[in-house]
Amino acid sequence: MLDVLIRDALVVDGSGAPGFRGDVGVEGDRIAAVGDLDGAAARRTIEAAGRLLCPGFVDPHSHSDFTVLANPTAESTIRQGVTTEVVGNCGWTYAPVSPASRPFVEARLRTFTYRGPVEWESFADHLAFLSRVGHSQNLAWFVGHNTIRYAAGVLGREASEDELRTMERYVAEAMEAGALGLSTGLEFDPGRAAPTEEIVRLNRVVGRYGGWYASHVRNRDAELQRSIDEFVEIVRAGGTRGQISHLNVRHRTGAAPGAWEHAVATMARAREEGLDVLADTTPFRDGLGQMAGILPPWVLAGGWRAACRRLRDPHVRERLRGDCDRYWRFIARGDWHRIRLQASPRHPGLEGRDFDEIAALLGRDHWDAYFDILADAGPAIESLLLVGELFTDEHLAEMISHPLFCLGVDGYTASLGGELDGVAGHPVCFAGHVHYLTHHVRERGTVPLEEAIRKMTSMPARHFGLAGRGEVRPGFAADLVLIDLERLDDGSTLERPLAYARGIDEVLVNGVPVVAGGAHTGARPGRHLARR
Ligand SMILES: [Zn+2]
């Protein structure tokens, strides 16, 4: 007797093969059978004629760990059919925590509206805490290099030998707890002060466990090539597999013509050499970024108190106006209309607005408004986010269709009707995955449907060793999504960002219905997918 029988669906199985009409049977947490299951008995039957059945989406680059404690039912992403998220990216996690880093970690959690206890220290404690809370989606974890540096108290400078050993121990602890590997965010403080040798040492620990290195690389404009060369060197020296996070070039930031093509060719050569490296992209011209990322390292040296004090000093501000040409370099070029404030609990009325509006509302010039908001953040100074208009349509299309790119979103799961509304005011949190299908497949024809789904399911699942997931195949985990392609709609738009996607009717995670008839069931069957 099957637990669930999904009848007469258009099955797109995640392998890239053409879709076919068929039935899928689920027993417990597994797919029991695929094909013609006429006459099979089942406790629940879903008549799926005219609808698309595919594996639950696997996001290779998510930040849903930012919000999972405030939103353990993963509302906005599970309603898009995202059943597994690879999290802990760009160097940021909420563990490990030391006495030195506790204010930073707590401020970050509060920024993302979590009000509960923060009682963990090690990575394993953190995962145990999460499993007690429960979550709707499966999570596979990187441990963040920035967070490790915070915990070791290494801010704005190189580490001593003792501190390096402490950091190696943190990486080993996370790997013992089942982490996939180490992530870096080398455009951000404190990670950007790390020399290559530090990351090589930490990644060697990852290599001993057979893990992965994922990197938001040091630079993606004038220094892109050097950054990709550094990435390959770190992967090679550590003996790990690797993922180049959101490998893109931002519009009007000074990258030489052909820089992206050259970087991608370097990745392809590394693969020929035998290194298992891939990249990912995001679905929108807009993307999330860190507000403090444009500040020079000396502002943030010594921690948030000193940074906020410096940011209020008029002489420092004068100097900074000429020394913020890094990270999103179009800001230094005066493209203020291209950035919106995403998260700032101290300024709820400004969230979602662009900096032309914000400057006008505050009656300040753009730079003073920017520095005021940062200085007001206190220990959350490095948690404030911007949404920027980053890419051209042409660049998005070449990344989405490239064979070495998985499709991710680089957002975080949100929910409606609560505090998270305030820090989720962009479709990236509500419709990123669906947007691949509605916009890039249906409207633009950038990639065929089967190929888009493969890049959103089996490709990342295989790359990250998530065995038995990402395909509709007997014996695989019953992570399944039933989509009404005719009704499929982003739901949210830039003008009206707070809405769930439409047309995702049924979502099973480990065989358990999390979305049924288009509504969330409240179930939290998600698991920690430990490294295998
Ligand atoms: Zn990143």
Side-chain angles (χ1 to χ4, degrees):
M1 168 83 90
L2 295 167
D3 291 308
V4 182
L5 173 62
I6 303 166
R7 271 182 34 86
D8 199 23
L10 171 67
V11 181
V12 172
D13 67 7
S15 70
F20 58 91
R21 275 179 75 169
D23 311 326
V24 173
V26 172
E27 253 174 45
D29 60 0
R30 303 272 123 194
I31 295 169
V34 179
D36 183 355
L37 306 180
D38 230 11
R43 290 187 179 82
R44 179 180 171 221
T45 298
I46 299 168
E47 296 295 343
R51 291 186 283 175
L52 167 74
L53 184 71
C54 66
F57 301 130
V58 178
D59 192 333
H61 185 95
S62 167
H63 289 290
S64 282
D65 49 317
F66 286 5
T67 47
V68 65
L69 280 168
N71 176 24
T73 43
E75 300 284 337
S76 71
T77 44
I78 207 89
R79 290 167 191 264
Q80 294 180 67
V82 184
T83 55
T84 296
E85 302 186 58
V86 176
V87 293
N89 283 294
C90 302
W92 304 112
T93 37
Y94 290 133
V97 185
S98 73
S101 70
R102 189 161 291 278
F104 151 75
V105 170
E106 290 187 354
R108 197 173 186 83
L109 278 156
R110 304 307 178 220
T111 300
F112 292 97
T113 75
Y114 171 68
R115 308 279 166 232
V118 185
E119 48 193 39
W120 60 86
E121 287 175 16
S122 70
F123 207 75
D125 287 349
H126 177 230
L127 293 180
F129 185 90
L130 270 170
S131 79
R132 286 196 296 277
V133 173
H135 37 84
S136 291
Q137 79 280 51
N138 300 308
L139 296 173
W141 285 84
F142 280 97
V143 62
H145 172 242
N146 290 321
T147 301
I148 284 177
R149 269 190 146 236
Y150 259 108
V154 189
L155 305 180
R157 59 178 174 82
E158 294 192 16
S160 68
E161 179 56 31
D162 270 1
E163 289 165 339
L164 275 170
R165 292 208 181 122
T166 302
M167 292 195 280
E168 286 175 325
R169 206 170 55 242
Y170 283 137
V171 174
E173 266 177 23
M175 297 307 287
E176 293 283 342
L180 291 178
L182 178 72
S183 80
T184 53
L186 298 175
E187 273 186 304
F188 307 128
D189 209 66
R192 64 187 172 186
T196 307
E197 306 82 73
E198 170 181 320
I199 307 163
V200 163
R201 274 191 56 174
L202 300 181
N203 199 41
R204 284 202 171 115
V205 178
V206 175
R208 285 208 294 277
Y209 290 88
W212 285 257
Y213 173 66
S215 183
H216 171 139
V217 297
R218 235 175 253 278
N219 178 284
R220 278 174 279 156
D221 47 72
E223 300 291 324
L224 174 66
Q225 188 56 39
R226 198 184 306 199
S227 303
I228 298 302
D229 290 341
E230 182 191 37
F231 170 86
V232 172
E233 181 188 338
I234 291 166
V235 167
R236 187 188 291 122
T240 58
R241 290 165 279 188
Q243 182 77 3
I244 307 175
S245 305
H246 39 59
L247 172 52
N248 51 48
V249 168
R250 303 175 192 113
H251 181 48
R252 236 166 80 82
T253 53
W260 181 82
E261 288 80 355
H262 210 262
V264 171
T266 303
M267 172 171 60
R269 268 200 311 281
R271 290 181 61 83
E272 283 164 23
E273 184 196 317
L275 301 178
D276 186 2
V277 295
L278 289 177
D280 49 69
T281 180
T282 56
F284 289 108
R285 282 185 304 177
D286 296 358
L288 292 170
Q290 189 209 42
M291 198 171 173
I294 68 168
L295 298 175
W298 56 266
V299 175
L300 296 160
W304 64 268
R305 274 198 188 82
C308 294
R309 200 169 50 240
R310 288 186 191 112
L311 280 167
R312 296 206 186 279
D313 179 334
H315 300 289
V316 171
R317 284 193 181 196
E318 249 348 277
R319 201 176 145 193
L320 282 177
R321 284 166 186 261
D323 191 6
C324 283
D325 186 12
R326 63 181 64 69
Y327 185 44
W328 287 6
R329 298 179 62 196
F330 57 86
I331 299 175
R333 296 180 179 195
D335 289 359
W336 293 101
H337 62 282
R338 287 173 64 185
I339 55 168
R340 293 164 187 271
L341 184 63
Q342 171 84 347
S344 174
R346 297 288 305 276
H347 296 278
L350 302 181
E351 286 167 338
R353 295 180 187 273
D354 73 44
F355 267 75
D356 282 338
E357 294 177 275
I358 288 173
L361 280 165
L362 295 180
R364 311 279 273 160
D365 88 344
H366 292 103
W367 283 115
D368 279 321
Y370 199 94
F371 298 142
D372 284 347
I373 291 167
L374 278 170
D376 288 346
I381 185 167
E382 286 172 277
S383 304
L384 300 194
L385 297 182
L386 299 172
V387 184
E389 199 190 302
L390 305 178
F391 313 117
T392 61
D393 287 325
E394 295 69 32
H395 189 34
L396 268 185
E398 66 186 344
M399 293 188 284
I400 289 168
S401 57
H402 195 284
L404 298 181
F405 280 61
C406 315
L407 304 183
V409 170
D410 193 14
Y412 46 85
T413 185
S415 61
L416 291 178
E419 279 188 281
L420 265 180
D421 280 7
V423 292
H426 191 279
V428 71
C429 294
F430 288 92
H433 299 84
V434 162
H435 195 68
Y436 281 116
L437 304 182
T438 56
H439 182 74
H440 297 292
V441 173
R442 193 163 66 190
E443 280 165 40
R444 296 273 170 136
T446 305
V447 277
L449 177 69
E450 284 87 348
E451 177 64 358
I453 288 177
R454 185 186 73 83
K455 283 165 159 278
M456 297 167 77
T457 56
S458 70
M459 184 182 181
R462 284 184 196 179
H463 182 57
F464 289 112
L466 309 175
R469 292 188 192 265
E471 285 183 62
V472 182
R473 217 208 277 189
F476 272 50
D479 294 344
L480 293 166
V481 188
L482 187 64
I483 303 173
D484 184 338
L485 275 180
E486 304 236 305
R487 278 173 37 241
L488 188 67
D489 188 272
D490 287 10
S492 63
T493 61
L494 248 192
E495 293 68 39
R496 216 175 58 84
L498 298 176
Y500 294 129
R502 289 190 293 267
I504 306 282
D505 297 333
E506 309 284 332
V507 180
L508 303 185
V509 178
N510 299 312
V512 178
V514 177
V515 173
H520 201 303
T521 64
R524 300 182 191 185
R527 296 177 190 163
H528 167 219
L529 304 183
R531 182 191 69 259
R532 291 204 265 181

